[in-house]
């Protein structure tokens, strides 16, 4: 390291600069992603709590899951949530996309308006719907005024009505999002097929099923997987609608609500919360991997 | 975080959404060919559009209306008036007496600014390095960045809290902001944007003796402004709307962000819907204004998969 100082320095800088640029993101990758993932695996086998513990307890947390009635309720809620959301949120946004596809005057305004619930916070949306659906809210009031109901329906205090209300607002909030995904896919559907079908005398409904749907089949699959994953991850909607209680007896909880419940405070149990997180990972990994493949195909 | 995380390779221009159907439309209408819009179909379309518009927008307007109703107007009536009889802004003042709503708004802004700044800088630098510079371990890093995408954020949220707590940042705004300050998806999106710059331009700069920094600032940045806007806007929305993570990290009501504070208001003083309505509007209106003024970026963002749900 004596004579050609400058070239050597240049080479060193050339080797270091890329690392300098990538360092912050790499730090975040390890500190906030890789490490927590590994730590979840470790914590799940301990009894770590916010204020105490941290002993290795083997499979205790997983054994506890088997006896946890609240967990059974939460998983059942998720299944119902998913089964209702899947057909509705796969089909309705497609119809909506077909409706807004044609560039008629004012269409940008409608597209923008339909997308508004997507950018609102889930908390804001859930608070709006809490007010609409409360015992003395607009929905119950109008239904009684019109004579449809004798007394108010307990949308926010009955387990299944609560789940149904959360589904309703999830659909309402999700419509615009999936609509935009479909809209970009519709642009790729071959127009000549539509015209050929029209020549053959196929009506609008017929053309929707035999030209549009096959044309966006991959996108429909993508959307349905997205819907399934987000149904399994539902949190804010149920939490806010039930005012943080999870409904009567905590029976309208979701899996993520349970994870939140055990992550802190009086019920805090990092070990059990981590075991529940691993359960969430196990039930979402299939759809998530499928998603990666589908989006690669779409791109 | 999540949703369309994995579509980072899908970089279609905004024109896909905005222009394509329109172009066909024009050509077809001139030809007077099949499927041109007759007056009956047009009327049906507008009727359906107005119907969906009512469903999407009325709940927001109802909330706005409730927030403007005075104490003497019965909001619990079975058939309440849709338009406030005596519109007043006093609920917006009174909600601030109940919870420190402006402090919460400021807290949300602080978190959002850190997240936006962190992502704009961190994701850009790393995206450039991964796209255009060669270094040892680049492949491995890329694989690790990609593999974080299959993990829903909720899976690691508990140990993320344990990590943040270990740093002494529990119950602080920095603790809320830090983990999301460089989003892994954003790094990958920026990498894709830098890759789209023609290699020849970059190679010419290298031959001219440009350092990596010069290549990034003079050649790279001007060419990725679109993607940079997309990730910063979505970083802002994501931080502003986030609920679960700040709910876990924050404890002391004076540190709450707006979303956590609103839920707190809902739990504590649920008696007065006017105040809750005013609070939700304080959280909602800035986002709507942002959205309305920058909507083309939003639609491009969805097409590119830059969504965080």
């Amino acid at each position: 390291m004596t004579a050609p100082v400058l070239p050597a320095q240049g080479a060193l800088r050339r080797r270091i600069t890329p690392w300098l640029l990538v360092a912050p993101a790499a730090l975040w990758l390890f500190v906030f992603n890789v490490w927590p993932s590994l730590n979840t695996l470790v914590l799940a086998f301990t009894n770590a709590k916010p204020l105490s513990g941290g002993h290795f307890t083997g499979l205790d947390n997983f054994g506890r899951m088997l006896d946890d009635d609240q967990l059974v309720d939460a998983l059942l809620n998720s299944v119902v949530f998913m089964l209702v959301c899947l057909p509705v949120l796969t089909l309705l946004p497609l119809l909506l996309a077909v409706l807004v596809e044609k560039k008629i005057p004012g269409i940008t305004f409608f597209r923008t308006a339909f997308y508004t619930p997507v950018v609102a916070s889930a908390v804001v949306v859930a608070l709006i719907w809490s007010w609409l659906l409360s015992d003395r809210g607009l929905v119950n009031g109008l239904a009684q005024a019109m004579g449809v109901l004798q007394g108010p329906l307990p949308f926010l205090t009955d387990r299944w009505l609560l789940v149904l209300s959360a589904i309703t607002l999830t659909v309402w909030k999700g419509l615009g999002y999936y609509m935009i995904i479909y809209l970009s896919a519709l642009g790729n559907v071959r127009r000549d097929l539509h015209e050929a079908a029209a020549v053959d005398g196929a009506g609008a409904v017929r053309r929707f099923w035999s030209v549009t749907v096959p044309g966006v089949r991959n996108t429909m699959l993508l959307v349905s997987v997205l819907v399934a994953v987000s149904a399994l991850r539902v949190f804010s909607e149920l939490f806010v609608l039930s005012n943080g209680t999870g409904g009567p007896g905590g029976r309208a909880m979701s899996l993520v609500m349970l994870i939140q419940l055990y992550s802190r405070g009086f019920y805090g149990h990092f070990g059990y919360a981590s075991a529940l997180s691993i359960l969430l990972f196990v039930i979402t990994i299939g759809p998530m991997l499928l998603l990666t493949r589908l989006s690669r195909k779409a791109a | 975080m999540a949703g369309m995380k994995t579509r980072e390779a899908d970089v279609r221009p905004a024109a896909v959404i905005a222009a394509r159907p329109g172009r066909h439309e024009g050509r077809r209408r001139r030809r007077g060919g099949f499927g041109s819009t007759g007056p009956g179909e047009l009327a049906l379309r507008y009727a359906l559009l107005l119907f969906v518009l009512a469903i999407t927008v009325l709940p927001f307007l109802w909330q706005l209306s409730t927030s403007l109703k005075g104490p003497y107007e019965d909001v619990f009536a079975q058939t309440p008036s849709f338009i406030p009889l005596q519109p007043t802004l006093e609920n917006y003042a009174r909600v601030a007496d109940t919870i420190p709503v402006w402090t919460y708004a400021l807290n949300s802004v602080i978190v959002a600014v850190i997240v936006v700044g962190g992502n704009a800088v961190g994701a850009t630098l790393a995206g450039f390095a991964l796209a255009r510079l060669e270094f040892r371990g680049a492949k491995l890093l890329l694989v690790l960045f990609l593999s974080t995408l299959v993990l829903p954020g909720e899976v690691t949220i508990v140990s993320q809290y344990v990590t943040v707590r270990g740093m002494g940042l529990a119950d602080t705004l920095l603790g809320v902001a830090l983990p999301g300050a460089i989003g892994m998806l954003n790094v990958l999106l920026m990498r894709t944007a830098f890759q789209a710059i023609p290699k020849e331009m970059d190679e010419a700069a290298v031959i001219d003796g440009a350092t990596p920094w010069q290549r990034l600032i003079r050649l790279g940045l001007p060419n990725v402004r679109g993607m940079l806007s997309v990730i910063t806007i979505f970083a802002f929305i994501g931080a502003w709307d986030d609920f679960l993570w700040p709910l876990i990290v924050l404890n002391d009501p004076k540190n709450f962000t707006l979303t956590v504070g609103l839920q707190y208001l809902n739990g504590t003083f649920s008696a007065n819907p006017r105040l809750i309505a005013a609070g939700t509007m304080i959280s909602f209106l800035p986002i709507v204004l942002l959205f309305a003024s920058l909507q083309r970026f939003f639609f491009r963002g969805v097409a590119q998969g830059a969504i965080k749900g």
Side-chain angles (χ1 to χ4, degrees):
Chain A
M1 284 289 186
T2 42
V5 176
L6 284 174
Q9 262 181 0
L12 189 66
R13 272 178 65 177
R14 221 172 307 140
R15 269 173 47 196
I16 285 181
T17 310
W19 269 106
L20 281 179
L21 294 178
V22 94
L27 186 69
W28 254 252
L29 171 71
F30 286 105
V31 174
F32 294 112
N33 291 276
V34 175
W35 166 246
S37 307
L38 298 174
N39 202 27
T40 304
L41 278 176
V42 175
L43 286 171
F45 297 94
T46 69
N47 64 354
K49 287 179 186 156
L51 295 175
S52 67
H55 296 292
F56 182 73
T57 53
L59 290 171
D60 281 5
N61 290 324
F62 295 92
R64 178 175 167 185
M65 275 188 202
L66 299 175
D67 298 325
D68 189 343
D69 290 338
Q70 222 172 9
L71 178 60
V72 176
D73 281 339
L75 291 174
L76 187 60
N77 294 338
S78 293
V79 170
V80 172
F81 210 97
M82 198 163 80
L83 289 180
V84 180
C85 282
L86 261 181
V88 178
L89 271 180
T90 307
L91 211 55
L92 270 188
L94 177 57
L95 292 171
L96 206 55
V98 171
L99 183 64
V100 300
E101 189 197 6
K102 201 164 258 190
K103 273 246 160 184
I104 52 181
I107 201 67
T108 308
F109 164 75
F110 285 107
R111 287 180 188 175
T112 309
F114 296 172
Y115 196 77
T116 309
V118 181
V119 297
S121 163
V123 173
V124 163
V125 168
L127 286 173
I128 290 176
W129 283 82
S130 296
W131 171 221
L132 283 171
L133 295 172
S134 80
D135 282 356
R136 298 170 72 190
L138 188 66
V139 172
N140 272 316
L142 288 180
Q144 287 173 80
M146 292 190 303
V148 183
L149 292 175
Q150 298 308 315
L153 270 183
F155 287 111
L156 306 177
T157 44
D158 172 85
R159 177 189 178 187
W160 290 112
L161 281 176
L162 198 51
V163 173
L164 189 71
S165 304
I167 290 172
T168 307
L169 83 87
T170 303
V171 168
W172 182 77
K173 193 178 184 326
L175 275 179
Y177 174 62
Y178 301 112
M179 172 191 85
I180 293 296
I181 296 178
Y182 277 128
L183 200 55
S184 70
L186 283 178
N188 301 328
V189 175
R190 282 170 54 196
R191 198 148 280 269
D192 53 330
L193 286 180
H194 265 291
E195 299 187 349
V199 172
D200 291 344
V205 177
R206 182 75 194 279
R207 268 180 293 157
F208 174 76
W209 287 111
S210 52
V211 181
T212 306
V213 169
V216 296
R217 210 175 43 202
N218 282 339
T219 311
M220 285 182 85
L221 196 57
L222 180 80
V223 166
S224 58
V225 178
L226 281 171
V227 171
V229 172
S230 55
L232 294 172
R233 298 169 54 192
V234 65
F235 172 76
S236 307
E237 292 82 358
L238 274 171
F239 187 93
V240 176
L241 281 183
S242 71
N243 220 332
T245 64
R251 298 200 68 189
M253 291 235 178
S254 68
L255 182 51
V256 177
M257 272 182 86
L258 283 177
I259 292 175
Q260 187 268 342
L261 178 72
Y262 290 112
S263 71
R264 51 174 291 170
F266 182 68
Y267 291 99
H269 192 310
F270 293 147
Y272 192 51
S274 299
L276 291 171
S277 303
I278 290 176
L279 178 66
L280 179 67
F281 169 72
V282 169
I283 60 180
T284 51
I285 185 66
M288 288 302 267
L289 285 173
L290 190 58
L291 212 53
T292 322
R293 288 189 54 185
L294 286 174
S295 34
R296 210 167 284 156
K297 222 193 252 175
Chain B
M1 301 255 287
M4 297 290 296
K5 276 184 162 182
T6 43
R7 301 187 72 204
E8 92 284 347
D10 184 4
V11 196
R12 278 173 287 187
V16 169
I17 291 172
R20 192 176 294 185
R23 271 208 315 269
H24 285 270
E25 211 62 42
R27 216 182 298 144
R28 225 156 28 86
R29 208 170 286 154
R30 249 169 284 141
R31 273 204 332 247
F34 310 102
S36 56
T37 322
E41 193 202 320
L42 203 61
L44 181 66
R45 270 180 187 272
Y46 278 114
L48 286 169
L49 285 168
L50 289 172
F51 174 69
V52 181
L53 182 70
I55 293 175
T56 19
V57 171
L58 281 182
F60 289 121
L61 292 180
W62 178 240
Q63 194 81 346
L64 180 64
S65 157
T66 306
S67 78
L68 297 174
K69 285 178 178 171
Y72 302 110
E73 192 164 343
D74 183 9
V75 293
F76 295 113
Q78 279 196 351
T79 48
S81 161
F82 190 78
I83 301 191
L85 301 174
Q86 292 162 312
T88 166
L89 287 172
E90 72 177 285
N91 294 319
Y92 290 81
R94 277 180 60 208
V95 69
D97 298 335
T98 318
I99 55 167
V101 70
W102 301 115
T103 308
Y104 293 171
L106 183 66
N107 288 346
S108 284
V109 170
I110 292 171
V111 170
V113 165
I114 297 174
V115 170
V116 166
N119 276 294
V121 176
T124 303
L125 296 182
F128 176 72
L130 289 169
R132 279 299 151 87
L133 304 177
E134 282 167 15
F135 58 100
R136 246 170 206 272
K139 279 232 170 71
L140 177 69
L141 265 183
L142 189 60
V143 169
L144 284 174
F145 278 120
L146 277 168
S147 60
T148 61
L149 298 185
V150 300
L151 272 188
E154 294 85 357
V155 167
T156 52
I157 209 156
V158 176
S159 34
Q160 224 165 47
Y161 175 60
V162 174
T163 305
V164 165
R165 210 176 70 129
M167 296 172 164
L169 294 176
D171 206 13
T172 65
L173 292 175
L174 195 57
V176 175
L178 220 47
I182 303 180
M184 301 297 108
L185 172 66
N186 292 335
V187 172
L188 293 165
L189 284 169
M190 288 310 292
R191 172 179 167 263
T192 314
F194 281 114
Q195 273 178 330
I197 302 172
K199 260 219 157 73
E200 301 77 50
M201 284 169 69
D202 208 20
E203 276 158 6
V206 175
I207 290 169
D208 290 347
T211 66
W213 284 102
Q214 288 167 334
R215 285 159 63 197
L216 168 61
I217 288 164
R218 295 203 194 132
L219 180 68
L221 281 184
N223 283 298
V224 295
R225 274 184 306 207
M227 183 67 89
L228 193 56
S229 337
V230 168
I231 70 160
T232 49
I233 291 167
F234 279 94
F236 183 86
I237 305 276
W240 184 268
D241 285 352
D242 198 11
F243 179 54
L244 175 57
W245 175 244
L247 182 69
I248 288 179
V249 174
L250 299 176
N251 223 351
D252 186 338
K254 74 171 193 291
N255 293 335
F256 285 171
T257 58
L258 209 39
T259 51
V260 181
L262 287 177
Q263 162 57 28
Y264 174 67
L265 172 73
N266 185 39
T268 327
F269 304 97
S270 53
N272 197 343
R274 299 175 191 85
L275 297 189
I276 297 172
T280 48
M281 282 300 133
I282 291 171
S283 166
F284 176 62
L285 289 177
I287 286 291
V288 162
L289 293 178
L290 187 75
F291 168 55
S293 50
L294 300 171
Q295 43 116 338
R296 65 202 172 94
F297 289 109
F298 279 82
F299 294 153
R300 183 158 78 176
V302 178
Q304 289 169 346
I307 273 289
K308 302 159 181 202

